[in-house]
Amino acid sequence: MRRQTINTFQQAAAYIDEIPRFTSKHTVEETKAFLHRLGDPDRRMRILHVAGTNGKGSVCAYLRGILETAGYRVALFTSPHLVCIRERFQVEGEMVSEEDFLRAFRHIYDMLDWEEEGAYHPTYFEYLFFIAMVLFPERDPDFCILETGVGGRLDATNSVSRKEISVITHIGKDHVGVLGDTLEQIAFEKAGIFSPDTPAVFWDTCPETTAVFRRRAEELGISAQSVSENDYSFSNFKRKTIDFCVSTRYYRYITLTLPTIAAYQMENCTLAIRALEVLDGGRTIRAEHIMEGVARCFWAGRMEEVLPEVYVDGAHNEDGIRAFLETVAADGHPGARALLFAVAKDKDYERMAEELADSGLFRRMAVTHMRSSRAVEAGELERVFRKHTD
C-alpha cells in the first residue's frame, strides 16, 4: 500500500477503518516484534488481561471502577466502540483526545517499512492495540486493563511480556469459524492468555470449560480460581437497581447495589471482585471501595436506559440473548414490551431470532439495518422473524 499524508484525527480514523481491505492477521510473534520496535511499552505497566465470550467489557468496567475508587490511576483498552473509536482508550475514565490519538497513530505509521514489499503492517485491531501501548505509559497508570478482541491465545493483546492477572469470563459459542465449534475448543483459545507466574481467575461456565482451564493452569504451574453462581446470592430487585451479596475471601459477605436491571451483571461483578482479591490480597482495596466502585459503575450498551423505559443491549450471540431475555422477563412489564433488532452477518441470527420469537416476551417486534457493511439487511431479518412468528 502506498504511504499517505495523514494530518488529522479524521484522516487517521478513516485510514484504520480501511485496514481490513489490505492486510490480514499476524502471528503473536510478529506482533511482539513490532511491540519491541515501539520500545516494549508494555513492560512499563502492570497489566490485567481479560478474555471470554460474554461480559468482558463489563468485567473491565467493574475492575476499573473499584480500582479507581481505591485511589489507583487506571488505563483501559476495550472493544468494540459504539460511536467514536476513541472510546476504546480511556485513562481515569476519560477518552484520549483526538490530538493524542493522532500523535500515537503517526508514531506507529512512521515506523512501518513502506519501501519493503510485503513488510509488516498491523491489522485493524493490532493498530488500535499499538495506539494504546504508545499512549498509556505516557500517563503513568498504576494498572492497565486490556480486553482481548477475538479469542485470546492468538490475540494481539497476548503479545505483552507479563501480566499481573488473567481473567476469563463466561464461555459461549461465538466466532466459531475462528475459535472452534465446541465449548472446549473455545475455552482452549481463551486459556491462551494464561501466563507463567501469573495467577488466573475464571468463570465456571460448565465442567468442560473448567477442565480446560484447570489443565492449562497445571501445565503452567499457576493458581487458577474458579468463580460461579455459588459465590453470590440475589437479594432484591429495586427500581432499576439490583441488590445482591458476594462471598469473598477477605471481606466475607459484601452487600452490593448494581445500578442496572441486568441480572447477568451479578456474575460479571462477582468475577471482577474475586480477581481483585487475588491481585491485591486484601492489602489496599477495602470493602467500602468495592461497594462504592460497583455502585457508580456504568458500561454503555449493556441494558442501558437511553430514554425512559427504553433500553439498549449489545447481546450478540446465543448466550447473550438468553441473558438478555432473563433480564426482560424480570422487568415487571408483561405484555407491554416492544423489540427493535439488528445484527451482524457473522452472528447466528437465525437462532437468535428463534429464541426472541419463542420467548413470548414482546408484544411487537421490528427489525432494522445497522449502518455497517457487516449488517444483515432488514429484509432478510424480516424473513427470519416471520418464519418463527407466523
Side-chain angles (χ1 to χ4, degrees), residues 184-232:
E184 292 93 331
Q185 290 173 322
I186 295 170
F188 172 78
E189 294 298 329
K190 307 294 185 182
I193 72 166
F194 287 4
S195 301
D197 305 316
T198 303
V201 175
F202 65 89
W203 184 259
D204 183 12
T205 301
C206 64
E208 292 79 10
T209 58
T210 292
V212 172
F213 297 143
R214 296 261 185 239
R215 183 164 57 249
R216 182 56 181 156
E218 185 176 346
E219 291 170 355
L220 294 171
I222 62 173
S223 68
Q225 293 192 25
S226 65
V227 183
S228 72
E229 293 177 352
N230 295 326
D231 292 297
Y232 70 85

Side-chain angles (χ1 to χ4, degrees), residues 25-67:
K25 186 174 177 63
H26 302 96
T27 66
V28 173
E29 288 69 28
E30 289 173 305
T31 311
K32 285 181 178 179
F34 194 79
L35 196 60
H36 180 65
R37 289 184 62 187
L38 290 174
D40 297 312
D42 56 301
R43 296 178 184 271
R44 310 205 300 271
M45 296 183 291
R46 301 178 66 189
I47 292 172
L48 283 58
H49 203 191
V50 181
T53 304
N54 290 318
K56 298 191 298 293
S58 296
V59 168
C60 289
Y62 287 121
L63 290 171
R64 187 196 79 187
I66 296 169
L67 285 169

Side-chain angles (χ1 to χ4, degrees), residues 38-322:
L38 290 174
D40 297 312
D42 56 301
R43 296 178 184 271
R44 310 205 300 271
M45 296 183 291
R46 301 178 66 189
I47 292 172
L48 283 58
H49 203 191
V50 181
T53 304
N54 290 318
K56 298 191 298 293
S58 296
V59 168
C60 289
Y62 287 121
L63 290 171
R64 187 196 79 187
I66 296 169
L67 285 169
E68 288 181 344
T69 303
Y72 292 107
R73 181 194 298 264
V74 180
L76 176 64
F77 175 68
T78 59
S79 63
H81 60 275
L82 298 179
V83 179
C84 176
I85 199 168
R86 293 184 294 117
E87 295 170 25
R88 297 170 181 253
F89 316 90
Q90 298 185 28
V91 181
E92 295 186 286
E94 298 292 333
M95 290 191 298
V96 301
S97 67
E98 292 186 359
E99 293 76 15
D100 283 344
F101 181 98
L102 175 62
R103 178 170 52 79
F105 171 92
R106 294 180 62 170
H107 178 72
I108 296 162
Y109 196 74
D110 290 342
M111 295 189 68
L112 299 177
D113 295 321
W114 292 100
E115 304 303 324
E116 182 181 342
E117 184 73 23
Y120 175 85
H121 188 293
T123 64
Y124 177 91
F125 186 78
E126 290 164 5
Y127 210 125
L128 295 175
F129 167 65
F130 291 140
I131 287 176
M133 291 296 95
V134 169
L135 291 180
F136 287 172
E138 297 176 351
R139 302 290 292 275
D140 194 26
D142 297 302
F143 293 100
C144 171
I145 303 173
L146 296 180
E147 177 188 351
T148 61
V150 175
R153 181 174 64 94
L154 303 178
D155 193 76
T157 59
N158 208 31
S159 63
V160 298
S161 57
R162 66 178 304 275
K163 311 163 189 178
E164 298 293 316
I165 193 167
S166 304
V167 184
I168 298 182
T169 68
H170 186 95
I171 300 298
K173 291 186 177 181
D174 198 9
H175 303 291
V176 294
V178 177
L179 304 180
D181 57 7
T182 70
L183 292 180
E184 292 93 331
Q185 290 173 322
I186 295 170
F188 172 78
E189 294 298 329
K190 307 294 185 182
I193 72 166
F194 287 4
S195 301
D197 305 316
T198 303
V201 175
F202 65 89
W203 184 259
D204 183 12
T205 301
C206 64
E208 292 79 10
T209 58
T210 292
V212 172
F213 297 143
R214 296 261 185 239
R215 183 164 57 249
R216 182 56 181 156
E218 185 176 346
E219 291 170 355
L220 294 171
I222 62 173
S223 68
Q225 293 192 25
S226 65
V227 183
S228 72
E229 293 177 352
N230 295 326
D231 292 297
Y232 70 85
S233 58
F234 168 73
S235 177
N236 184 37
F237 275 118
K238 291 182 180 177
R239 176 70 175 165
K240 301 178 182 178
T241 63
I242 299 172
D243 290 344
F244 76 115
C245 294
V246 176
S247 174
T248 68
R249 175 184 298 178
Y250 297 103
Y251 318 106
R252 296 189 179 180
Y253 286 93
I254 305 178
T255 300
L256 301 167
T257 298
L258 298 179
T260 179
I261 65 169
Y264 57 78
Q265 292 294 14
M266 291 187 287
E267 173 182 315
N268 297 324
C269 182
T270 302
L271 182 62
I273 291 170
R274 180 60 54 81
L276 290 176
E277 281 194 287
V278 172
L279 176 72
D280 183 66
R283 294 185 298 273
T284 62
I285 298 175
R286 301 191 297 272
E288 53 265 36
H289 296 143
I290 296 173
M291 296 168 68
E292 181 182 342
V294 165
R296 72 181 192 179
C297 189
F298 168 75
W299 196 236
R302 279 67 172 179
M303 289 306 293
E304 177 189 359
E305 188 176 26
V306 293
L307 293 170
E309 303 300 335
V310 177
Y311 292 87
V312 172
D313 190 72
H316 58 276
N317 53 46
E318 196 170 324
D319 279 348
I321 291 292
R322 289 197 190 110

